[in-house]
Amino acid sequence: ITRRKQVEAQLRQSQEMLRLVIDNIPQFIFWKDQHSVYLGCNKNFAQMIVGLDSPEAIVGKTDEELIKLTLTDFSYLPILNQYITPAGYPEYQRVELFERPNGIPLWLEMNKIPLRDPLGQIIGVLGSFQDITDLKRVEERLKQSVKAVEHSAEAICIANAQTQMVLVNKAFTRITGYTEAEVLGKRTTLLKSGKHGADFYDKMWKSIHTVGYWEGEIWNRRKNGEIYPEW
């Protein structure tokens, strides 16, 4: 039975490697049968639901049983079951907002894939999700920042390290006459009036690199050629 033993050893090794991979994926992963009974999960899921490293604590239970067992609000768990369509199509990167009992929002990105037998019949579901609440907060702050820039009464121009303009607001267009489409990718030297020598700009950039900012009066040129002073 040497060959059989070798095959069994290879199978165990493959199973251990699969478990190692699943447990080291940052997402929360689970798989269920057609009756929504858990067949397995990774350590991240087990730790989040019941606070245990052992996924075996989840196996054989339903979402309702887990919620009662932990006495914790995981009301979004049954909702995860809804994301397999009747035709059995997978659904990827579905984002849902849930509200915790303390009122703090929870954003989850979820993926659901039907598990099929060799005949193509659906026998369960493989699901994964991750908490993207922090990412959503960053996105919201970025949106607010963009709105603040866009509606500022002062002209704002953001350039990259090569001094190429990557963002301007409406006040910039009103003051300079250049639209966003006309300046994006162009260097800020587009606005130079010619009234300042190299020494002026050397001092400006030295202040930016050493102090972190420069403030002062400078003469620039509008699109129509008019030279004007700005602060």
Side-chain angles (χ1 to χ4, degrees), residues 127-143:
S128 70
F129 64 93
Q130 59 182 334
D131 185 347
I132 59 169
T133 305
D134 290 340
L135 177 61
K136 281 292 183 180
R137 288 172 182 162
V138 171
E139 288 180 353
E140 186 59 31
R141 285 198 294 268
L142 286 175
K143 289 179 182 178

Side-chain angles (χ1 to χ4, degrees), residues 18-89:
L18 179 59
R19 168 55 65 183
L20 185 64
V21 170
I22 291 175
D23 284 339
N24 282 278
I25 291 176
Q27 286 83 9
F28 304 96
I29 300 175
F30 62 91
W31 49 100
K32 301 177 175 181
D33 65 16
Q34 287 180 297
H35 305 290
S36 293
V37 175
Y38 284 95
L39 301 175
C41 66
N42 67 350
K43 283 187 177 181
N44 282 344
F45 189 88
Q47 288 175 340
M48 181 193 69
I49 300 300
V50 295
L52 299 174
D53 288 336
S54 174
E56 283 71 25
I58 305 290
V59 174
K61 295 182 175 60
T62 63
D63 292 317
E64 291 75 12
E65 290 172 332
L66 288 177
I67 292 173
K68 293 178 182 178
L69 176 67
T70 59
L71 299 178
T72 307
D73 180 76
F74 290 113
S75 55
Y76 54 84
L77 287 180
I79 298 177
L80 293 174
N81 295 321
Q82 300 174 8
Y83 300 135
I84 285 294
T85 63
Y89 296 116

Side-chain angles (χ1 to χ4, degrees), residues 38-39 41 67 86 93-94 97 112 114 126 155 167 173 175 179 182 187 195 202 222 226:
Y38 284 95
L39 301 175
C41 66
I67 292 173
Q93 296 181 322
R94 183 185 182 102
L97 171 63
K112 297 292 285 294
L126 171 67
L167 185 148
T173 295
I175 292 174
T179 66
E182 291 174 319
R187 298 188 64 186
K195 290 180 66 70
D202 288 342
R222 305 186 207 274
E226 178 186 355

